[in-house]
Amino acid sequence: MKIHEYQAKELFRKFGIPTSKGVMVTDPGRAPEAAAEVGYPCVVKAQVHVGGRGKAGGVKLAKNEEELKRHAGAILGMDIKGLVVERVLVDEAVDIARELYLGVILDRASKYPVFMVSAAGGVDIEEVAAKTPEKILMLPVDPAVGFWPHHGRRLAGFLSEDPGIQKQLADFLEKLYRLFIATDASLAEINPCVITSDGRATAIDAKINFDDNALFRQPDVEAMRDLSAEDPLELKAKDAGLSYVKLSGDVGCIVNGAGLAMTTMDLIKHFGSEPANFLDVGGSSDPAKVLVAMEIVTADPDVRAILLNIFGGITRCDDIAAGLLAALKKRPLEIPLVVRLTGTNEDRGRAMLAEAGITAGVNLDEAVQKAVAAAREGR
Amino acid sequence: MSIYVDEKTRVVVQGITGRDGSFHAAQMAEYGTKVVAGVTPGKGGQKVHGIPVFDTVAAAVEATGADASVIYVPARFAADALFEAADAGIKLAVCISEGLPTLDVLRAYHYYRARGLRFIGPNCPGIISPGKAKLGIMPGHIHRPGGVGLVSRSGTLTYEVVWSLTAAGLGQSTCMGIGGDPVIGTNFMDALAAFEADPETVGVVMIGEIGGTDEEEAAEFIQKNLTKPVVSFIAGRTAPKGKRMGHAGAIIAGGKGTAQSKIEALTAAGVPVADLPSQLPGLLKERLG
């Protein structure tokens, strides 16, 4: 789960991490009130879940109220990579001497929380990692042991030679680690953390992603979720216990299991078309899920044919058939449907469908080819 | 032979009184697995399908000599179940449950490794040595005893491939799903090393998917360490960047984890990568001669 910069900064303040002053507004008319708290000059920053907002014109400096109103008015409602800006952060403009990169990730490869820090802040860190890896220090911390002062000294020593700044950064990083573990974050990134001209370490940007699997024990994190920033069909799928991702093709697919669902997409492409979506109905055997899955896929106007691909393990083919028949009864299909049904209780499932005049295949390659051909005819 | 589990494995089912645990305990026992005990806190003394239930794994191990566990408890209790199994002397835990916080799995990973123990999963279908033992949720009837080892990050895609192997007359020594999460207890390299050491296994099918770099590391490992033929399939060639594809671990992030990168690494290591799962039995047969 992602949160906005202003929310990440609120969390930072809660954990005692020095952060630039800022106020979030949704209405350009309220921006001057916000500026009264942070002072001029200030920075107006679009709050969207996408990178590259600066280049897109979503970050502007305002020296006075007139500029502030103009920038806030222009940025609110702006479209950045398909997302409409509904909130801006009016943030303190800090006097910058140096820019650092500070990050923590849950690293899949080493299986530790790993600090990544660099004195080359304010730029694309992946580019730094690719071109000048020696400018980045990576340091794993064993969560069973925790963050100790030597971790802080090592990281801070890499970033600065000034003992006063080292001390601030070590403290900063320890608090960042505490926040990371306490909130079940999967990534916390400060790019940049600046050293001000009067020698203070301050976060002027903040990005935190959280582990979705841990939200059950993080109600405060869950409460920060911005539903307006998420795709409505993906949300509907999630509420029903499905995972759905919209893609750009015209063959819709409904599959049980994520690996098989991705494979089905790949086969659609292999046989000459493009998948309209990823949709995994999950491992359980609930007819209601098939019903919702059919609703979601048919709601996509690009879909020209639907492929239902089930290899029953836990999922029982008769339950799938019952769900499909219920969906068709509720809303008859106007586009072709190809069914591939095999595995647990397949005879019963196939018989139920046959009664309703639907032929279910067994072979995966054949079913995909049939669906691709049907979509082509429907174009 | 086979890897990790066989007819001697004595299994305790953690969460045996739940809906999934109870159903699959019966299925596993019916397959011939020695399911010797179940555990549900507060339900000690009961029986499920004739299997004695204990309050703790320690009590189950003491009374029945169980050495492996299968975990079917809800996500929020699953990490606790993993640590409990390790502390009770279980050598192999198979965590079917999905949705465990990554930080907990990561802690369990180091806890198990430091003690020389093993867990498979989480978020996996489990492991089966056909004709000997089944610790998991896969449909047993699609498997046949034989010489192909199979390791996969997926569930139903694994069944798809197993079924095509069986249909092509290729039986299996052991098939295991290692799970779709970003951090898992047993990875491709562990399974590949075990298959290489297993005299019954003659060739290996490895099924990967987008996300992480485990397939790339496995490719290097195969090149250096495997004498037996390996064939592969990678799911997710058409997956967009930055979107989680069902599995928590199936995501292309920061330019890493693309199907293309994995296919290139495997091909460079001399491992043929099938375009379609249905090509796998043929590819393997060619290499087995």
Side-chain angles (χ1 to χ4, degrees):
Chain A
M1 183 193 128
K2 295 176 178 176
I3 58 173
H4 292 297
E5 175 194 1
Y6 77 92
Q7 295 169 310
K9 286 181 168 174
E10 278 164 21
L11 258 183
F12 278 12
R13 290 184 197 108
K14 222 159 128 184
F15 280 80
I17 298 172
T19 306
S20 54
K21 251 188 282 175
V23 178
M24 189 275 287
V25 293
T26 54
D27 170 1
R30 310 299 291 259
E33 282 171 44
E37 277 186 51
V38 306
Y40 289 103
C42 59
V43 191
V44 187
K45 303 171 90 174
Q47 301 293 294
V48 277
H49 291 321
V50 65
R53 61 183 175 172
K55 279 180 196 154
V59 180
K60 292 267 193 257
L61 183 74
K63 289 195 268 318
N64 51 47
E65 185 168 327
E66 187 268 320
E67 281 185 14
L68 174 65
K69 280 185 183 160
R70 182 152 45 86
H71 293 323
I75 294 173
L76 280 163
M78 178 186 272
D79 186 300
I80 299 182
K81 295 183 185 172
L83 295 172
V84 177
V85 181
E86 291 179 353
R87 309 166 192 207
V88 293
L89 176 64
V90 178
D91 213 35
E92 176 190 1
V94 178
D95 194 6
I96 300 169
R98 284 183 63 202
E99 294 185 285
L100 311 173
Y101 173 92
L102 310 178
V104 194
I105 50 162
L106 268 189
D107 181 42
R108 294 171 74 143
S110 68
K111 294 162 182 72
Y112 284 115
V114 172
F115 274 92
M116 273 179 76
V117 302
S118 175
V123 293
D124 182 358
I125 197 68
E126 275 154 26
E127 212 177 298
V128 177
K131 287 186 185 150
T132 47
E134 70 280 2
K135 288 189 178 168
I136 296 177
L137 174 66
M138 296 185 70
L139 187 72
V141 176
D142 186 341
V145 178
F147 191 100
W148 288 77
H150 76 86
H151 292 117
R153 289 196 297 271
R154 173 100 191 271
L155 292 162
F158 182 79
L159 293 167
S160 173
E161 288 176 358
D162 179 315
I165 290 173
Q166 283 178 358
K167 198 159 170 283
Q168 286 184 55
L169 286 172
D171 181 59
F172 191 116
L173 290 161
E174 179 172 4
K175 286 171 176 162
L176 184 62
Y177 180 80
R178 208 180 300 148
L179 178 154
F180 189 85
I181 299 293
T183 60
D184 276 295
S186 55
L187 175 145
E189 189 179 62
I190 303 158
N191 191 21
C193 166
V194 303
I195 308 297
T196 60
S197 41
D198 57 350
R200 289 176 299 115
T202 303
I204 66 167
D205 198 359
K207 177 177 171 183
I208 311 178
N209 294 350
F210 300 95
D211 179 2
D212 288 328
N213 283 355
L215 290 177
F216 71 83
R217 63 183 180 199
Q218 299 290 353
D220 294 348
V221 170
E222 174 97 69
M224 288 190 282
R225 183 185 287 275
D226 176 8
L227 292 177
S228 71
E230 296 181 34
D231 182 88
L233 280 181
E234 288 179 17
L235 275 180
K236 178 177 175 174
K238 206 168 163 193
D239 285 344
L242 315 171
S243 26
Y244 170 81
V245 177
K246 165 98 175 85
L247 302 169
S248 56
D250 61 4
V251 183
C253 46
I254 299 172
V255 188
N256 69 319
L260 189 57
M262 276 189 274
T263 302
T264 305
M265 286 161 38
D266 295 349
L267 294 193
I268 289 169
K269 169 107 176 170
H270 179 85
F271 288 116
S273 193
E274 294 285 343
N277 63 276
F278 167 91
L279 201 165
D280 171 14
V281 289
S284 85
S285 205
D286 181 358
K289 285 191 178 179
V290 182
L291 188 76
V292 179
M294 285 292 287
E295 283 174 7
I296 289 169
V297 175
T298 50
D300 176 354
D302 299 333
V303 171
R304 297 276 171 270
I306 298 175
L307 170 61
L308 177 67
N309 176 22
I310 303 295
F311 200 117
I314 294 196
T315 309
R316 288 161 34 186
C317 291
D318 50 336
D319 285 336
I320 295 287
L324 177 62
L325 293 175
L328 294 176
K329 198 175 163 194
K330 200 172 158 195
R331 203 167 145 217
L333 264 188
E334 285 157 14
I335 51 175
L337 169 74
V338 177
V339 182
R340 185 272 182 141
L341 197 59
T342 190
T344 311
N345 292 2
E346 63 176 78
D347 293 342
R348 216 179 123 54
R350 209 169 289 127
M352 286 164 69
L353 294 182
E355 245 173 69
I358 299 169
T359 321
V362 177
N363 183 289
L364 174 57
D365 296 353
E366 280 171 27
V368 174
Q369 283 170 286
K370 237 168 123 178
V372 167
R376 194 165 290 150
E377 277 167 32
R379 262 176 225 160
Chain B
M1 290 284 286
S2 48
I3 69 166
Y4 300 151
V5 299
D6 60 24
E7 65 279 5
K8 295 190 288 291
T9 306
R10 297 173 68 78
V11 179
V12 52
V13 174
Q14 291 178 256
I16 195 167
T17 56
R19 198 176 57 98
D20 290 341
S22 153
F23 176 76
H24 288 288
Q27 295 274 308
M28 292 190 293
E30 194 179 300
Y31 191 76
T33 314
K34 285 199 177 67
V35 181
V36 296
V39 169
T40 299
K43 305 250 170 109
Q46 298 185 5
K47 286 202 168 183
V48 172
H49 310 297
I51 303 160
V53 180
F54 299 85
D55 285 324
T56 65
V57 181
V61 168
E62 197 184 337
T64 66
D67 55 8
S69 134
V70 190
I71 296 170
Y72 292 104
V73 307
R76 60 182 66 196
F77 309 122
D80 183 33
L82 269 173
F83 289 118
E84 184 185 359
D87 286 352
I90 292 292
K91 303 279 179 285
L92 171 76
V94 179
C95 186
I96 307 300
S97 312
E98 65 176 297
L100 279 74
T102 309
L103 199 52
D104 293 350
V105 182
L106 182 153
R107 288 187 171 109
Y109 176 89
H110 296 291
Y111 196 80
Y112 270 70
R113 295 262 158 165
R115 286 160 181 74
L117 308 173
R118 172 170 306 289
F119 72 92
I120 298 173
N123 188 13
C124 78
I127 176 167
I128 181 169
S129 293
K132 295 172 182 166
K134 166 178 129 158
L135 281 71
I137 59 173
M138 62 288 277
H141 71 271
I142 61 174
H143 302 78
R144 294 288 178 277
V148 179
L150 189 150
V151 56
S152 167
R153 276 169 70 187
S154 169
T156 49
L157 176 59
T158 310
Y159 312 160
E160 184 83 46
V161 173
V162 166
W163 184 232
S164 70
L165 289 170
T166 295
L170 291 167
Q172 306 93 37
S173 54
T174 298
C175 301
M176 59 190 292
I178 54 177
D181 279 3
V183 177
I184 48 178
T186 296
N187 61 32
F188 283 127
M189 283 189 281
D190 299 321
L192 288 163
F195 281 132
E196 176 69 16
D198 172 37
E200 194 194 333
T201 301
V202 295
V204 180
V205 177
M206 175 179 142
I207 302 167
E209 65 187 30
I210 58 159
T213 52
D214 280 7
E215 289 81 359
E216 286 87 336
E217 283 157 33
E220 207 181 315
F221 183 83
I222 291 167
Q223 196 163 29
K224 283 189 190 145
N225 302 294
L226 260 78
T227 59
K228 297 173 185 177
V230 181
V231 299
S232 179
F233 177 77
I234 302 294
R237 292 177 198 227
T238 51
K241 284 179 186 149
K243 284 278 185 183
R244 224 164 267 289
M245 307 302 279
H247 287 156
I251 181 164
I252 301 169
K256 279 195 180 156
T258 63
Q260 200 50 42
S261 150
K262 294 168 192 300
I263 292 166
E264 278 167 16
L266 287 161
T267 308
V271 177
V273 182
D275 287 329
L276 313 171
S278 58
Q279 296 167 340
L280 286 166
L283 279 177
L284 189 58
K285 274 188 175 171
E286 271 173 36
R287 268 147 196 89
L288 290 172

